[in-house]
């Protein structure tokens, strides 16, 4: 084998490995984080953040990946938007200092530290949630994961999507209003997501 051939393979092998990493941009119109929390021990209050943005990568050969998501907290929506005779709606209260304090902290973010795989597919994402200026570990479990051509574009673009769940204690981020009896501490998360390959 010639030196030229050996040199070509030496260059091609790392390039081939790098080519296994796929990058995706999250589709904000189909990526919606929902949350629910206990209310007075009688019922569950649910809400959502209307959109999320971010990026993720996946390398099925190396069983690695990354995920970064940003959520605008001012886009919180629990369905209570009409004040009536009240001084504020529930949504306005939750955007204020007692809860998400959107004026001072307009975004919460999640950044992965590890992606766990089963076979070729990711099954959970370990990372850090930053909320109200505090960063704590959070694991998202992937309930669904699927990749394939986007038929809305006649297969011209490739997408991955699914559903993810997780939970955290809001008191750990300094959100203590209503504890311990009026409003639950545990916040459960559920998110639908789509990403289009760059």
């Amino acid at each position: 084998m010639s030196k030229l051939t050996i040199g070509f393979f030496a260059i091609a092998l790392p390039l081939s490995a790098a080519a296994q990493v796929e990058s995706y941009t999250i589709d904000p119109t189909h990526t919606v984080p929902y949350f629910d929390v206990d209310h007075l021990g009688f019922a569950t209050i649910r809400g959502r953040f209307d959109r999320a943005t971010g990026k993720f990568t996946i390398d099925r050969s190396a069983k690695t990946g990354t995920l970064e998501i940003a959520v605008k907290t001012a886009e919180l929506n629990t369905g209570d938007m009409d004040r009536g005779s009240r001084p504020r709606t529930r949504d306005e209260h939750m955007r204020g200092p007692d809860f998400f304090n959107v004026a001072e902290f307009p975004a919460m973010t999640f950044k992965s530290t590890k992606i766990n795989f089963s076979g070729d597919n990711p099954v959970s994402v370990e990372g850090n949630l930053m909320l109200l200026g505090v960063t704590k570990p959070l694991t998202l479990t992937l309930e669904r994961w699927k990749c394939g051509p986007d038929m809305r574009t006649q297969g011209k673009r490739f997408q991955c999507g699914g559903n993810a769940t997780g939970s955290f204690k809001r008191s750990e981020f300094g959100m203590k209003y209503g504890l311990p009896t009026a409003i639950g501490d545990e916040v459960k998360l559920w998110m639908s997501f789509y990403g289009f390959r760059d």
Side-chain angles (χ1 to χ4, degrees), residues 11-188:
I11 294 171
L13 282 173
L15 288 177
S16 174
Q20 301 299 315
V21 179
E22 298 178 359
S23 298
Y24 292 79
T25 297
I26 286 175
D27 175 15
T29 61
H30 291 94
T31 301
V32 183
Y34 293 80
F35 63 90
D36 65 54
V37 63
D38 180 78
H39 186 251
L40 298 174
F42 286 89
T44 299
I45 295 294
R46 288 192 169 92
R48 73 182 191 190
F49 298 93
D50 288 339
R51 292 190 178 192
T53 59
K55 307 275 287 186
F56 64 87
T57 64
I58 184 170
D59 185 336
R60 292 175 178 82
S61 298
K63 302 293 188 292
T64 60
T66 62
L67 170 65
E68 292 188 27
I69 296 177
V71 177
K72 292 182 179 179
T73 51
E75 295 188 352
L76 176 149
N77 181 352
T78 68
D80 182 15
M81 296 168 283
D82 184 6
R83 287 186 186 179
S85 61
R86 301 171 297 169
R88 63 188 176 186
T89 66
R90 181 174 58 238
D91 288 2
E92 289 171 336
H93 188 192
M94 293 190 70
R95 294 186 189 109
D98 287 335
F99 292 98
F100 287 95
N101 196 4
V102 302
E104 188 174 350
F105 302 101
M108 63 177 175
T109 61
F110 177 82
K111 187 173 183 179
S112 67
T113 56
K114 181 183 179 183
I115 310 291
N116 300 304
F117 280 73
S118 176
D120 290 335
N121 296 317
V123 293
S124 65
V125 183
E126 299 174 27
N128 292 306
L129 175 67
M130 186 173 73
L131 172 63
L132 298 174
V134 179
T135 301
K136 295 287 184 179
L138 173 68
T139 297
L140 297 174
T141 300
L142 298 181
E143 293 184 333
R144 296 182 65 183
W145 170 265
K146 184 177 181 179
C147 298
D150 179 7
M151 302 315 296
R152 295 168 295 180
T153 62
Q154 290 73 51
K156 292 180 181 178
R157 65 180 179 181
F158 192 84
Q159 66 184 7
C160 291
N163 300 330
T165 62
S167 66
F168 64 90
K169 292 187 180 298
R170 61 189 181 93
S171 61
E172 295 182 351
F173 295 87
M175 189 187 295
K176 298 180 180 180
Y177 182 88
L179 294 174
T181 57
I183 303 172
D185 194 11
E186 184 182 28
V187 179
K188 296 180 180 179

